[in-house]
Amino acid sequence: MILEVRAVAPFYKNGFVVACERTREAVLIDPGDEVDQLLASVRDLDVEVAAVLLTHAHIDHITGVGAAKDAFDVPVYLHRDDLFLYDNAVQQGAMFGFKVSQPPPVDAYYDLSPIGFGDYEARPHHTPGHCPGGVCLQVGKRGAAGDHLFVGDTLFAGSIGRTDLPGGNYDTLLQSITGVLFPLGDDAIVHPGHGPDTTIHRERTTNPLVLEYLAGRRS
Ligand SMILES: [Zn+2]
Ligand SMILES: [Zn+2]
């Protein structure tokens, strides 16, 4: 699997190119302000983008969708429950003091079916809590349980996503982390929307907010 990550100011939100080394088919995950670097990476790698996959619709994760759509004219995927955020991109930008233009319409909503690219597939798992339509994209070989998790802002190395934005809920987020992400396996590599990679094992055993939640449930 080919994997490239880019992030730029002000949000330092990770945007990803994930591609099949054999067929050169690729997907873009969460193109934001770093989209020009992602497009350059696509050219350098000589891969062909088949889809734009969004983990959720907060502004930092979608500002590059327009440029990606212009460059590749491929379907844009989002969870239906985040459409209200996507449709309010301009207002979201204003909330953070940024002038952004409305990205092009969503083409497809995630269901349980995997999205294939070359020998690989991305399986969407609904992980609400940071926002209502958050998804984790589990990427691996077709038909296998992938061990690369693109989790958006659900889980970070040593932390978790904020829950004070519209539609956020702390208990729902912890349920998504412990009930949806953790069963995907200790060995799975977690690629968060911000900051460095981690693993399920590391977060399950050392993440203070996760440990606090699990301790609270036991008492
Ligand atoms: Zn977010
Ligand atoms: Zn974010």
Side-chain angles (χ1 to χ4, degrees), residues 28-43:
L28 289 190
I29 299 178
D30 286 358
D33 290 350
E34 77 301 328
V35 67
D36 288 345
Q37 297 183 24
L38 296 180
L39 299 189
S41 174
V42 165
R43 279 192 301 273

Side-chain angles (χ1 to χ4, degrees), residues 25-104:
E25 272 184 277
V27 292
L28 289 190
I29 299 178
D30 286 358
D33 290 350
E34 77 301 328
V35 67
D36 288 345
Q37 297 183 24
L38 296 180
L39 299 189
S41 174
V42 165
R43 279 192 301 273
D44 292 347
L45 294 166
D46 193 23
V47 296
E48 190 170 338
V49 174
V52 172
L53 308 181
L54 302 176
T55 62
H56 66 300
H58 281 148
I59 193 69
D60 47 331
H61 297 254
I62 62 173
T63 48
V65 172
K69 185 87 182 175
D70 286 348
F72 308 118
D73 195 24
V74 294
V76 175
Y77 285 77
L78 180 71
H79 194 282
R80 190 181 295 272
D81 293 351
D82 256 18
L83 192 59
F84 77 104
L85 291 170
Y86 195 87
D87 286 343
N88 284 306
V90 176
Q91 292 90 323
Q92 277 196 68
M95 209 173 96
F96 289 100
F98 294 102
K99 196 167 163 49
V100 300
S101 46
Q102 182 61 36

